[in-house]
Coordinates of all heavy atoms in Angstrom, one line a residue:
M25 N -30.9 -21.0 -11.0 CA -30.8 -19.6 -10.6 C -32.2 -19.1 -10.2 O -33.2 -19.4 -10.9 CB -30.3 -18.7 -11.7 CG -28.9 -18.3 -11.4 SD -28.4 -17.1 -12.7 CE -26.8 -17.7 -13.1
N26 N -32.3 -18.3 -9.2 CA -33.6 -17.8 -8.8 C -33.8 -16.5 -9.6 O -32.9 -16.0 -10.3 CB -33.8 -17.5 -7.3 CG -32.8 -16.6 -6.8 OD1 -32.4 -15.6 -7.5 ND2 -32.3 -16.8 -5.6
R27 N -35.0 -15.9 -9.6 CA -35.4 -14.8 -10.3 C -34.5 -13.5 -10.0 O -34.2 -12.8 -10.9 CB -36.8 -14.4 -10.1 CG -37.8 -15.3 -10.9 CD -39.2 -14.8 -10.7 NE -40.0 -15.6 -11.6 CZ -41.1 -15.1 -12.1 NH1 -41.6 -14.0 -11.8 NH2 -41.8 -15.9 -12.9
T28 N -34.1 -13.4 -8.8 CA -33.3 -12.2 -8.4 C -32.0 -12.3 -9.1 O -31.5 -11.3 -9.6 CB -33.1 -12.2 -6.9 OG1 -34.4 -12.2 -6.2 CG2 -32.3 -11.0 -6.4
N29 N -31.3 -13.5 -9.1 CA -30.0 -13.6 -9.8 C -30.2 -13.4 -11.3 O -29.3 -12.8 -11.9 CB -29.4 -15.0 -9.5 CG -28.9 -15.1 -8.1 OD1 -28.7 -14.1 -7.4 ND2 -28.7 -16.3 -7.6
L30 N -31.2 -13.9 -11.9 CA -31.4 -13.7 -13.3 C -31.6 -12.2 -13.6 O -31.0 -11.7 -14.6 CB -32.7 -14.5 -13.8 CG -32.5 -16.0 -13.9 CD1 -33.9 -16.6 -14.3 CD2 -31.5 -16.3 -15.0
K31 N -32.3 -11.5 -12.8 CA -32.5 -10.1 -13.0 C -31.2 -9.3 -12.9 O -30.9 -8.4 -13.7 CB -33.6 -9.6 -12.1 CG -34.3 -8.3 -12.5 CD -35.4 -8.0 -11.6 CE -36.4 -7.1 -12.3 NZ -37.6 -6.8 -11.5
Q32 N -30.4 -9.6 -11.9 CA -29.2 -8.9 -11.7 C -28.2 -9.2 -12.8 O -27.3 -8.4 -13.1 CB -28.5 -9.4 -10.3 CG -29.3 -8.8 -9.2 CD -28.8 -9.4 -7.8 OE1 -28.0 -10.3 -7.8 NE2 -29.2 -8.8 -6.7
N33 N -28.2 -10.4 -13.4 CA -27.2 -10.8 -14.5 C -27.7 -10.3 -15.9 O -26.9 -10.4 -16.8 CB -27.0 -12.3 -14.5 CG -26.2 -12.7 -13.2 OD1 -25.5 -11.9 -12.7 ND2 -26.5 -13.9 -12.8
R34 N -28.9 -9.9 -16.0 CA -29.5 -9.4 -17.3 C -28.8 -8.1 -17.7 O -28.6 -7.2 -16.9 CB -31.0 -9.3 -17.1 CG -31.7 -9.2 -18.5 CD -33.1 -9.1 -18.3 NE -33.6 -10.3 -17.6 CZ -34.8 -10.3 -17.0 NH1 -35.6 -9.3 -16.9 NH2 -35.2 -11.4 -16.4
K35 N -28.5 -8.0 -18.9 CA -27.9 -6.8 -19.4 C -28.9 -6.0 -20.2 O -29.8 -6.5 -20.8 CB -26.7 -7.2 -20.4 CG -25.6 -7.8 -19.6 CD -24.4 -8.1 -20.5 CE -23.3 -8.8 -19.8 NZ -22.1 -8.9 -20.6
A36 N -28.7 -4.7 -20.1 CA -29.7 -3.8 -20.7 C -29.1 -3.4 -22.1 O -27.9 -3.1 -22.3 CB -29.8 -2.5 -19.9
K37 N -30.0 -3.5 -23.1 CA -29.6 -3.1 -24.4 C -29.7 -1.6 -24.6 O -30.8 -1.1 -24.4 CB -30.4 -3.9 -25.5 CG -29.9 -3.7 -26.9 CD -30.5 -4.6 -27.8 CE -30.0 -4.4 -29.2 NZ -29.9 -5.6 -30.0
R38 N -28.7 -1.0 -25.1 CA -28.7 0.5 -25.3 C -28.0 0.7 -26.7 O -27.2 0.0 -27.2 CB -27.9 1.2 -24.2 CG -28.5 1.1 -22.8 CD -29.8 1.9 -22.7 NE -30.2 2.0 -21.4 CZ -31.2 1.2 -20.9 NH1 -31.8 0.3 -21.6 NH2 -31.5 1.3 -19.6
S39 N -28.3 1.9 -27.2 CA -27.7 2.3 -28.5 C -26.9 3.6 -28.2 O -27.5 4.5 -27.6 CB -28.8 2.5 -29.5 OG -28.3 3.0 -30.7
Y40 N -25.7 3.7 -28.7 CA -24.9 4.9 -28.6 C -24.3 5.2 -29.9 O -24.0 4.3 -30.7 CB -23.8 4.7 -27.5 CG -24.3 4.4 -26.2 CD1 -24.5 3.1 -25.7 CD2 -24.7 5.4 -25.3 CE1 -25.0 2.8 -24.5 CE2 -25.3 5.2 -24.1 CZ -25.4 3.9 -23.6 OH -25.9 3.6 -22.4
T41 N -24.0 6.5 -30.1 CA -23.4 6.9 -31.4 C -21.9 7.2 -31.1 O -21.6 8.0 -30.2 CB -24.1 8.2 -31.9 OG1 -25.5 7.9 -32.0 CG2 -23.5 8.7 -33.2
L42 N -21.1 6.6 -31.9 CA -19.6 6.7 -31.7 C -19.0 7.2 -33.0 O -19.5 6.9 -34.1 CB -19.0 5.4 -31.3 CG -19.5 4.8 -30.0 CD1 -19.0 3.4 -29.8 CD2 -19.1 5.7 -28.8
S43 N -17.9 7.8 -32.9 CA -17.1 8.3 -34.0 C -16.6 7.0 -34.8 O -16.4 6.0 -34.2 CB -16.0 9.2 -33.6 OG -15.0 8.4 -33.0
P44 N -16.3 7.2 -36.1 CA -15.7 6.1 -36.8 C -14.4 5.6 -36.2 O -14.1 4.4 -36.2 CB -15.5 6.6 -38.2 CG -16.5 7.7 -38.4 CD -16.6 8.3 -37.0
E45 N -13.6 6.6 -35.7 CA -12.3 6.2 -35.1 C -12.5 5.4 -33.8 O -11.8 4.4 -33.6 CB -11.5 7.5 -34.7 CG -11.1 8.4 -35.8 CD -12.2 9.3 -36.3 OE1 -13.3 9.5 -35.7 OE2 -12.0 9.9 -37.4
S46 N -13.5 5.7 -33.0 CA -13.8 4.9 -31.8 C -14.3 3.5 -32.2 O -13.9 2.5 -31.6 CB -14.9 5.6 -31.0 OG -14.4 6.8 -30.4
I47 N -15.1 3.4 -33.2 CA -15.6 2.1 -33.7 C -14.4 1.3 -34.2 O -14.3 0.1 -33.8 CB -16.7 2.3 -34.7 CG1 -17.9 2.9 -34.1 CG2 -17.0 0.9 -35.4 CD1 -19.0 3.3 -35.0
D48 N -13.5 1.9 -35.0 CA -12.3 1.2 -35.5 C -11.5 0.7 -34.3 O -11.0 -0.4 -34.3 CB -11.5 2.0 -36.4 CG -12.2 2.3 -37.7 OD1 -13.2 1.6 -38.1 OD2 -11.8 3.2 -38.4
F49 N -11.3 1.6 -33.3 CA -10.5 1.2 -32.1 C -11.1 0.0 -31.4 O -10.4 -0.9 -31.1 CB -10.4 2.4 -31.2 CG -9.7 2.2 -29.9 CD1 -8.3 2.0 -29.9 CD2 -10.4 2.1 -28.7 CE1 -7.6 1.8 -28.7 CE2 -9.7 1.8 -27.5 CZ -8.3 1.7 -27.5
L50 N -12.4 0.1 -31.2 CA -13.1 -1.0 -30.5 C -13.0 -2.3 -31.3 O -12.8 -3.4 -30.7 CB -14.5 -0.6 -30.2 CG -14.7 0.5 -29.1 CD1 -16.2 0.9 -29.1 CD2 -14.3 0.0 -27.7
E51 N -13.2 -2.2 -32.6 CA -13.1 -3.4 -33.4 C -11.7 -4.0 -33.4 O -11.5 -5.2 -33.3 CB -13.5 -3.1 -34.8 CG -13.5 -4.3 -35.7 CD -14.5 -5.4 -35.3 OE1 -15.6 -5.1 -34.7 OE2 -14.2 -6.6 -35.5
T52 N -10.7 -3.1 -33.4 CA -9.3 -3.6 -33.3 C -9.1 -4.3 -31.9 O -8.4 -5.4 -31.9 CB -8.3 -2.4 -33.4 OG1 -8.5 -1.8 -34.7 CG2 -6.9 -2.9 -33.3
L53 N -9.6 -3.7 -30.8 CA -9.5 -4.3 -29.5 C -10.2 -5.7 -29.5 O -9.7 -6.7 -28.9 CB -10.0 -3.4 -28.4 CG -9.2 -2.3 -28.0 CD1 -9.9 -1.4 -26.9 CD2 -7.9 -2.8 -27.4
R54 N -11.4 -5.7 -30.1 CA -12.1 -7.0 -30.1 C -11.3 -8.1 -30.8 O -11.2 -9.2 -30.3 CB -13.5 -6.8 -30.9 CG -14.4 -8.0 -30.8 CD -15.5 -8.0 -31.8 NE -15.0 -8.0 -33.2 CZ -14.6 -9.1 -33.8 NH1 -14.6 -10.3 -33.1 NH2 -14.2 -9.1 -35.0
K55 N -10.7 -7.8 -31.9 CA -9.9 -8.8 -32.6 C -8.7 -9.2 -31.8 O -8.4 -10.4 -31.7 CB -9.5 -8.2 -34.0 CG -10.7 -8.2 -35.0 CD -10.2 -7.5 -36.3 CE -11.4 -7.4 -37.2 NZ -11.1 -6.7 -38.5
K56 N -8.0 -8.2 -31.3 CA -6.8 -8.4 -30.5 C -7.1 -9.3 -29.3 O -6.3 -10.2 -29.0 CB -6.2 -7.1 -30.1 CG -4.9 -7.2 -29.3 CD -4.3 -5.9 -29.0 CE -3.0 -6.0 -28.2 NZ -2.5 -4.7 -27.9
Q57 N -8.2 -9.0 -28.6 CA -8.6 -9.8 -27.4 C -9.4 -11.0 -27.7 O -9.7 -11.8 -26.8 CB -9.4 -8.9 -26.5 CG -8.6 -7.7 -25.9 CD -9.5 -6.8 -25.1 OE1 -10.7 -7.0 -24.9 NE2 -8.9 -5.7 -24.7
R58 N -9.7 -11.2 -29.0 CA -10.5 -12.3 -29.4 C -11.9 -12.4 -28.6 O -12.4 -13.4 -28.2 CB -9.8 -13.7 -29.2 CG -8.6 -13.8 -30.2 CD -8.0 -15.2 -30.1 NE -7.0 -15.4 -31.1 CZ -5.7 -15.5 -30.9 NH1 -5.3 -15.4 -29.6 NH2 -4.9 -15.6 -31.8
A59 N -12.4 -11.2 -28.4 CA -13.7 -11.0 -27.7 C -14.8 -11.4 -28.6 O -14.7 -11.3 -29.9 CB -13.8 -9.6 -27.2
T60 N -15.9 -11.8 -28.1 CA -17.0 -12.2 -28.9 C -17.8 -11.0 -29.5 O -18.4 -11.2 -30.5 CB -18.0 -13.0 -28.0 OG1 -18.4 -12.2 -26.9 CG2 -17.4 -14.3 -27.5
S61 N -17.7 -9.9 -28.9 CA -18.4 -8.7 -29.4 C -17.7 -7.4 -29.0 O -16.9 -7.4 -28.0 CB -19.8 -8.7 -29.0 OG -19.9 -8.6 -27.6
I62 N -18.1 -6.3 -29.6 CA -17.7 -5.0 -29.2 C -18.3 -4.7 -27.8 O -17.7 -4.1 -27.0 CB -18.0 -3.9 -30.2 CG1 -17.0 -4.1 -31.4 CG2 -17.8 -2.5 -29.6 CD1 -17.2 -3.1 -32.6
S63 N -19.5 -5.2 -27.6 CA -20.1 -5.0 -26.3 C -19.3 -5.6 -25.2 O -19.1 -5.0 -24.1 CB -21.5 -5.6 -26.3 OG -22.4 -4.9 -27.1
A64 N -18.7 -6.7 -25.4 CA -17.8 -7.4 -24.4 C -16.6 -6.5 -24.2 O -16.2 -6.4 -23.0 CB -17.4 -8.8 -24.9
V65 N -16.1 -5.9 -25.2 CA -14.9 -5.1 -25.0 C -15.3 -3.8 -24.2 O -14.6 -3.4 -23.3 CB -14.3 -4.6 -26.4 CG1 -13.2 -3.6 -26.3 CG2 -13.8 -5.9 -27.2
L66 N -16.4 -3.2 -24.6 CA -16.9 -2.0 -23.8 C -17.1 -2.4 -22.4 O -16.8 -1.6 -21.5 CB -18.1 -1.5 -24.5 CG -17.9 -0.7 -25.7 CD1 -19.3 -0.4 -26.4 CD2 -17.2 0.6 -25.5
E67 N -17.7 -3.5 -22.1 CA -18.0 -4.0 -20.7 C -16.7 -4.1 -20.0 O -16.6 -3.6 -18.8 CB -18.7 -5.3 -20.7 CG -19.1 -5.8 -19.4 CD -20.2 -5.0 -18.7 OE1 -21.0 -4.4 -19.4 OE2 -20.3 -5.0 -17.5
E68 N -15.7 -4.7 -20.6 CA -14.4 -4.8 -19.9 C -13.7 -3.4 -19.6 O -13.2 -3.2 -18.6 CB -13.4 -5.6 -20.8 CG -12.1 -6.0 -20.2 CD -11.2 -6.9 -21.0 OE1 -11.8 -7.7 -21.7 OE2 -10.0 -6.7 -20.9
I69 N -13.8 -2.5 -20.6 CA -13.3 -1.2 -20.4 C -14.0 -0.5 -19.3 O -13.3 0.1 -18.4 CB -13.4 -0.3 -21.7 CG1 -12.4 -0.9 -22.8 CG2 -13.1 1.1 -21.4 CD1 -12.7 -0.3 -24.2
L70 N -15.3 -0.5 -19.3 CA -16.1 0.1 -18.2 C -15.8 -0.5 -16.8 O -15.7 0.2 -15.8 CB -17.5 0.1 -18.5 CG -17.9 0.9 -19.8 CD1 -19.4 0.6 -20.2 CD2 -17.7 2.4 -19.5
Q71 N -15.7 -1.8 -16.8 CA -15.4 -2.4 -15.5 C -14.0 -2.0 -15.0 O -13.8 -1.8 -13.8 CB -15.5 -4.0 -15.6 CG -16.9 -4.5 -15.8 CD -17.8 -4.1 -14.7 OE1 -17.4 -4.1 -13.5 NE2 -19.0 -3.8 -15.1
Y72 N -13.0 -1.9 -15.9 CA -11.7 -1.5 -15.5 C -11.7 -0.1 -14.9 O -11.1 0.2 -13.9 CB -10.7 -1.6 -16.7 CG -9.4 -1.0 -16.5 CD1 -8.4 -1.7 -15.8 CD2 -9.1 0.4 -16.8 CE1 -7.2 -1.2 -15.6 CE2 -7.9 0.9 -16.5 CZ -6.9 0.1 -15.9 OH -5.7 0.7 -15.6
I73 N -12.4 0.8 -15.6 CA -12.5 2.2 -15.2 C -13.2 2.3 -13.8 O -12.8 3.0 -12.9 CB -13.2 3.1 -16.2 CG1 -12.4 3.2 -17.5 CG2 -13.6 4.5 -15.6 CD1 -13.1 3.8 -18.6
R74 N -14.3 1.5 -13.6 CA -15.1 1.5 -12.4 C -14.2 1.0 -11.2 O -14.1 1.6 -10.2 CB -16.3 0.6 -12.5 CG -17.1 0.6 -11.2 CD -18.3 -0.4 -11.3 NE -17.8 -1.8 -11.6 CZ -17.3 -2.6 -10.7 NH1 -17.1 -2.2 -9.5 NH2 -16.9 -3.8 -11.0
R75 N -13.4 -0.1 -11.5 CA -12.5 -0.6 -10.4 C -11.4 0.4 -10.1 O -11.1 0.6 -8.9 CB -11.9 -1.9 -10.8 CG -12.9 -3.1 -10.7 CD -12.2 -4.4 -11.0 NE -11.5 -4.5 -12.2 CZ -12.0 -5.0 -13.3 NH1 -13.3 -5.4 -13.4 NH2 -11.3 -5.0 -14.4
D76 N -10.9 1.1 -11.1 CA -9.9 2.1 -10.9 C -10.4 3.2 -10.1 O -9.7 3.7 -9.2 CB -9.3 2.6 -12.3 CG -8.2 3.5 -12.1 OD1 -7.1 3.1 -11.5 OD2 -8.2 4.6 -12.6
Q77 N -11.6 3.7 -10.4 CA -12.2 4.8 -9.6 C -12.4 4.4 -8.2 O -12.2 5.1 -7.2 CB -13.5 5.2 -10.2 CG -13.3 6.0 -11.5 CD -14.6 6.4 -12.1 OE1 -15.7 5.9 -11.8 NE2 -14.5 7.4 -13.1
E78 N -12.9 3.1 -7.9 CA -13.1 2.6 -6.6 C -11.8 2.6 -5.8 O -11.7 2.9 -4.7 CB -13.8 1.2 -6.6 CG -15.2 1.3 -7.1 CD -15.8 -0.1 -7.3 OE1 -15.1 -1.1 -7.2 OE2 -17.0 -0.1 -7.5
R79 N -10.7 2.1 -6.5 CA -9.4 2.0 -5.9 C -8.9 3.4 -5.5 O -8.4 3.6 -4.4 CB -8.4 1.3 -6.8 CG -7.0 1.2 -6.3 CD -6.0 0.7 -7.3 NE -6.0 1.4 -8.6 CZ -5.4 2.6 -8.7 NH1 -4.7 3.2 -7.8 NH2 -5.4 3.2 -9.9
K80 N -9.1 4.4 -6.4 CA -8.6 5.7 -6.1 C -9.4 6.3 -5.0 O -8.9 7.1 -4.1 CB -8.7 6.6 -7.4 CG -7.7 6.3 -8.4 CD -7.9 7.1 -9.6 CE -6.8 6.7 -10.7 NZ -7.0 7.4 -11.9
A81 N -10.7 6.0 -4.9 CA -11.5 6.5 -3.8 C -11.1 5.9 -2.4 O -11.0 6.7 -1.4 CB -13.0 6.2 -4.0
I82 N -10.7 4.7 -2.4 CA -10.2 4.0 -1.2 C -8.8 4.7 -0.8 O -8.6 5.0 0.3 CB -10.0 2.5 -1.4 CG1 -11.4 1.9 -1.5 CG2 -9.2 1.9 -0.3 CD1 -11.4 0.4 -2.0
E83 N -8.0 4.9 -1.8 CA -6.7 5.5 -1.6 C -6.9 6.9 -1.0 O -6.1 7.3 -0.1 CB -5.8 5.6 -2.8 CG -5.3 4.2 -3.3 CD -4.6 4.3 -4.6 OE1 -4.6 5.3 -5.3 OE2 -4.1 3.2 -5.0
R84 N -7.9 7.7 -1.5 CA -8.1 9.0 -1.0 C -8.6 8.9 0.5 O -8.2 9.7 1.3 CB -9.2 9.7 -1.8 CG -8.7 10.3 -3.1 CD -9.7 11.2 -3.8 NE -10.9 10.6 -4.1 CZ -11.2 9.9 -5.2 NH1 -10.3 9.8 -6.1 NH2 -12.4 9.4 -5.4
E85 N -9.4 8.0 0.8 CA -9.9 7.8 2.2 C -8.8 7.4 3.1 O -8.7 7.9 4.2 CB -11.1 6.8 2.2 CG -12.3 7.3 1.6 CD -12.9 8.5 2.3 OE1 -13.0 8.6 3.5 OE2 -13.3 9.4 1.5
I86 N -7.9 6.5 2.6 CA -6.8 6.2 3.5 C -5.9 7.4 3.7 O -5.4 7.6 4.9 CB -6.0 5.0 2.8 CG1 -6.8 3.7 2.9 CG2 -4.6 4.8 3.5 CD1 -6.3 2.6 2.0
A87 N -5.6 8.1 2.7 CA -4.7 9.3 2.8 C -5.4 10.3 3.8 O -4.7 10.9 4.6 CB -4.5 10.0 1.5
K88 N -6.7 10.5 3.6 CA -7.5 11.4 4.5 C -7.4 11.0 6.0 O -7.1 11.8 6.9 CB -8.9 11.4 4.1 CG -9.8 12.4 4.7 CD -11.2 12.5 4.0 CE -12.3 12.5 5.0 NZ -13.6 12.5 4.4
Y89 N -7.5 9.6 6.2 CA -7.3 9.1 7.6 C -5.9 9.4 8.1 O -5.8 10.0 9.2 CB -7.6 7.6 7.6 CG -7.1 7.0 8.9 CD1 -7.9 7.1 10.0 CD2 -5.9 6.3 8.9 CE1 -7.5 6.5 11.2 CE2 -5.5 5.7 10.1 CZ -6.3 5.8 11.3 OH -5.8 5.3 12.5
Y90 N -4.9 9.1 7.4 CA -3.5 9.3 7.9 C -3.2 10.8 8.0 O -2.5 11.2 9.0 CB -2.5 8.6 7.0 CG -2.4 7.1 7.3 CD1 -3.0 6.2 6.4 CD2 -1.9 6.7 8.5 CE1 -2.9 4.9 6.7 CE2 -1.9 5.3 8.8 CZ -2.4 4.4 7.9 OH -2.3 3.1 8.2
D91 N -3.8 11.6 7.2 CA -3.6 13.1 7.3 C -4.3 13.6 8.5 O -3.9 14.7 9.0 CB -4.1 13.8 6.0 CG -3.2 13.6 4.8 OD1 -2.1 13.1 5.0 OD2 -3.7 13.9 3.7
S92 N -5.3 12.9 9.0 CA -6.1 13.4 10.2 C -5.4 13.0 11.5 O -5.8 13.5 12.5 CB -7.5 12.9 10.1 OG -7.5 11.5 10.5
L93 N -4.4 12.2 11.5 CA -3.8 11.7 12.7 C -2.9 12.8 13.3 O -2.3 13.6 12.6 CB -2.9 10.5 12.4 CG -3.5 9.2 12.0 CD1 -2.5 8.1 11.7 CD2 -4.5 8.7 13.0
S94 N -3.0 12.8 14.6 CA -2.1 13.8 15.4 C -0.7 13.3 15.4 O -0.4 12.1 15.0 CB -2.6 13.9 16.8 OG -2.4 12.7 17.5
D95 N 0.3 14.2 15.7 CA 1.7 13.8 15.8 C 1.8 12.6 16.8 O 2.6 11.7 16.5 CB 2.5 15.0 16.2 CG 2.6 16.0 15.1 OD1 2.3 15.7 13.9 OD2 3.0 17.1 15.4
E96 N 1.1 12.6 17.9 CA 1.2 11.6 18.9 C 0.7 10.2 18.3 O 1.3 9.2 18.5 CB 0.4 11.9 20.1 CG 0.5 10.9 21.2 CD 1.9 10.8 21.8 OE1 2.6 11.8 21.8 OE2 2.2 9.7 22.2
E97 N -0.4 10.3 17.5 CA -0.9 9.1 16.9 C 0.1 8.5 15.9 O 0.2 7.3 15.7 CB -2.3 9.3 16.3 CG -3.4 9.6 17.3 CD -4.6 10.1 16.7 OE1 -4.6 11.0 15.8 OE2 -5.7 9.6 17.1
V98 N 0.7 9.4 15.1 CA 1.7 9.0 14.1 C 2.9 8.3 14.8 O 3.3 7.2 14.4 CB 2.2 10.2 13.2 CG1 3.4 9.8 12.4 CG2 1.0 10.7 12.4
K99 N 3.3 8.9 15.9 CA 4.4 8.3 16.7 C 4.0 6.9 17.2 O 4.8 6.0 17.1 CB 4.8 9.3 17.8 CG 6.0 8.8 18.6 CD 6.3 9.8 19.7 CE 7.5 9.4 20.6 NZ 7.8 10.3 21.6
E100 N 2.8 6.8 17.7 CA 2.4 5.5 18.3 C 2.3 4.5 17.2 O 2.7 3.3 17.4 CB 1.0 5.7 19.0 CG 0.5 4.4 19.6 CD -0.8 4.6 20.3 OE1 -1.2 5.8 20.6 OE2 -1.5 3.6 20.6
D101 N 1.8 4.8 16.0 CA 1.7 3.9 14.9 C 3.1 3.4 14.5 O 3.3 2.3 14.2 CB 1.0 4.5 13.7 CG -0.5 4.4 13.8 OD1 -1.0 3.8 14.7 OD2 -1.1 5.0 12.9
A102 N 4.1 4.4 14.5 CA 5.4 4.0 14.1 C 6.0 3.0 15.2 O 6.7 2.1 14.8 CB 6.3 5.3 14.0
Q103 N 5.7 3.2 16.4 CA 6.2 2.3 17.5 C 5.6 0.9 17.3 O 6.3 -0.1 17.5 CB 5.9 2.9 18.8 CG 6.7 4.1 19.2 CD 6.3 4.8 20.5 OE1 5.1 4.6 20.9 NE2 7.1 5.7 21.0
W104 N 4.3 0.9 17.0 CA 3.6 -0.4 16.7 C 4.3 -1.1 15.5 O 4.5 -2.3 15.5 CB 2.1 -0.2 16.5 CG 1.4 -0.2 17.8 CD1 0.7 0.9 18.3 CD2 1.2 -1.2 18.7 NE1 0.1 0.6 19.5 CE2 0.4 -0.7 19.8 CE3 1.6 -2.6 18.8 CZ2 0.0 -1.5 20.9 CZ3 1.2 -3.3 19.9 CH2 0.4 -2.8 20.9
G105 N 4.6 -0.3 14.5 CA 5.3 -0.9 13.3 C 6.6 -1.5 13.6 O 7.0 -2.6 13.2
E106 N 7.4 -0.8 14.4 CA 8.7 -1.2 14.9 C 8.6 -2.5 15.7 O 9.3 -3.5 15.5 CB 9.4 -0.2 15.6 CG 9.9 1.0 14.8 CD 10.3 2.2 15.6 OE1 10.5 2.1 16.8 OE2 10.5 3.3 15.0
F107 N 7.6 -2.5 16.6 CA 7.3 -3.7 17.4 C 7.0 -4.9 16.5 O 7.5 -6.0 16.7 CB 6.2 -3.4 18.4 CG 5.6 -4.7 19.1 CD1 6.3 -5.2 20.1 CD2 4.5 -5.3 18.7 CE1 5.9 -6.4 20.8 CE2 4.0 -6.4 19.3 CZ 4.7 -7.0 20.4
A108 N 6.1 -4.7 15.5 CA 5.7 -5.8 14.6 C 6.9 -6.3 13.9 O 7.1 -7.5 13.7 CB 4.6 -5.3 13.7
M109 N 7.8 -5.4 13.4 CA 9.0 -5.9 12.7 C 9.9 -6.7 13.5 O 10.5 -7.6 13.0 CB 9.7 -4.7 12.1 CG 8.9 -3.9 11.0 SD 8.5 -4.9 9.6 CE 10.1 -5.1 8.8
R110 N 10.0 -6.4 14.8 CA 10.8 -7.2 15.7 C 10.2 -8.5 16.0 O 10.9 -9.5 16.1 CB 11.1 -6.4 17.0 CG 12.0 -5.3 17.0 CD 12.4 -4.8 18.4 NE 11.3 -4.4 19.2 CZ 10.6 -3.3 19.3 NH1 11.1 -2.3 18.5 NH2 9.6 -3.1 20.1
E111 N 8.9 -8.6 16.2 CA 8.2 -9.8 16.5 C 8.0 -10.7 15.3 O 7.9 -11.9 15.5 CB 6.8 -9.5 17.1 CG 6.9 -8.7 18.4 CD 7.6 -9.6 19.5 OE1 7.2 -10.8 19.7 OE2 8.4 -9.1 20.2
F112 N 7.9 -10.1 14.1 CA 7.7 -10.9 12.9 C 8.7 -10.6 11.9 O 8.4 -10.0 10.8 CB 6.2 -10.7 12.4 CG 5.2 -10.9 13.4 CD1 4.5 -9.8 14.0 CD2 4.8 -12.1 13.8 CE1 3.5 -9.9 14.9 CE2 3.8 -12.3 14.7 CZ 3.2 -11.2 15.3
P113 N 10.0 -11.0 12.1 CA 11.0 -10.6 11.2 C 10.8 -11.3 9.8 O 10.2 -12.4 9.8 CB 12.3 -11.1 11.8 CG 11.8 -12.1 12.8 CD 10.4 -11.8 13.2
T114 N 11.3 -10.7 8.8 CA 11.2 -11.3 7.5 C 12.2 -12.5 7.4 O 13.3 -12.4 8.0 CB 11.5 -10.3 6.3 OG1 12.8 -9.8 6.5 CG2 10.4 -9.2 6.3
Q115 N 11.8 -13.5 6.7 CA 12.7 -14.6 6.5 C 13.8 -14.3 5.4 O 13.5 -13.8 4.4 CB 12.0 -15.9 6.2 CG 11.0 -16.3 7.3 CD 10.2 -17.5 6.8 OE1 10.2 -17.9 5.7 NE2 9.5 -18.2 7.8
D116 N 15.0 -14.8 5.7 CA 16.1 -14.6 4.7 C 15.8 -15.7 3.7 O 15.7 -16.9 4.0 CB 17.4 -14.8 5.4 CG 18.6 -14.5 4.4 OD1 18.3 -14.0 3.3 OD2 19.7 -14.8 4.8
R117 N 15.7 -15.4 2.4 CA 15.4 -16.3 1.3 C 16.7 -16.9 0.7 O 16.6 -17.6 -0.3 CB 14.6 -15.6 0.3 CG 13.2 -15.2 0.9 CD 12.4 -14.4 -0.1 NE 11.3 -13.9 0.5 CZ 10.0 -14.0 0.1 NH1 9.8 -14.6 -1.0 NH2 9.0 -13.5 0.8
T118 N 17.8 -16.7 1.2 CA 19.0 -17.3 0.6 C 19.3 -18.6 1.2 O 18.8 -19.1 2.1 CB 20.3 -16.4 0.8 OG1 20.4 -16.1 2.2 CG2 20.1 -15.1 0.0

């Protein structure tokens, strides 16, 4: 690995204060998931939340795009969809 990759993969050590209930919860998750550490559990939780936020942002942008279409553009898109369904019919799986 070159230095850039090593630097990007390096984790920063931080200290946070959590309630006893949160610590118990994280420890329970660690045991249930057989994770090596509570840090690994927190990393997984944070990555899940980050991906969820990114997915929601994409969904908002898609909705914004479709909401911005004129009636004529919506009609044209529907016609293209109908055309595609005729040209590429689904296969019967029976």
Side-chain angles (χ1 to χ4, degrees):
M25 252 188 226
N26 62 34
R27 284 184 170 208
T28 304
N29 286 343
L30 285 174
K31 203 173 204 178
Q32 289 173 347
N33 291 331
R34 195 175 300 158
K35 294 183 179 185
K37 185 169 181 145
R38 297 287 189 260
S39 176
Y40 298 97
T41 304
L42 300 171
S43 69
E45 295 85 8
S46 293
I47 293 171
D48 290 343
F49 176 74
L50 290 169
E51 184 61 32
T52 300
L53 283 178
R54 186 195 65 77
K55 289 176 183 175
K56 182 178 179 182
Q57 297 173 1
R58 295 188 172 107
T60 57
S61 66
I62 288 179
S63 292
V65 173
L66 283 169
E67 182 72 26
E68 186 176 326
I69 291 168
L70 294 170
Q71 292 299 324
Y72 173 82
I73 292 169
R74 183 185 54 77
R75 285 189 304 268
D76 187 56
Q77 287 179 346
E78 289 172 353
R79 181 186 52 79
K80 287 177 181 176
I82 291 169
E83 287 173 355
R84 283 191 301 273
E85 289 300 313
I86 291 170
K88 188 171 134 182
Y89 166 76
Y90 281 107
D91 289 345
S92 74
L93 293 178
S94 68
D95 290 343
E96 183 62 31
E97 290 169 316
V98 170
K99 183 178 176 182
E100 184 178 340
D101 276 356
Q103 290 170 341
W104 276 111
E106 291 168 9
F107 169 77
M109 293 302 288
R110 285 192 308 272
E111 294 297 312
F112 306 105
T114 58
Q115 295 179 347
D116 187 9
R117 298 177 188 229
T118 56

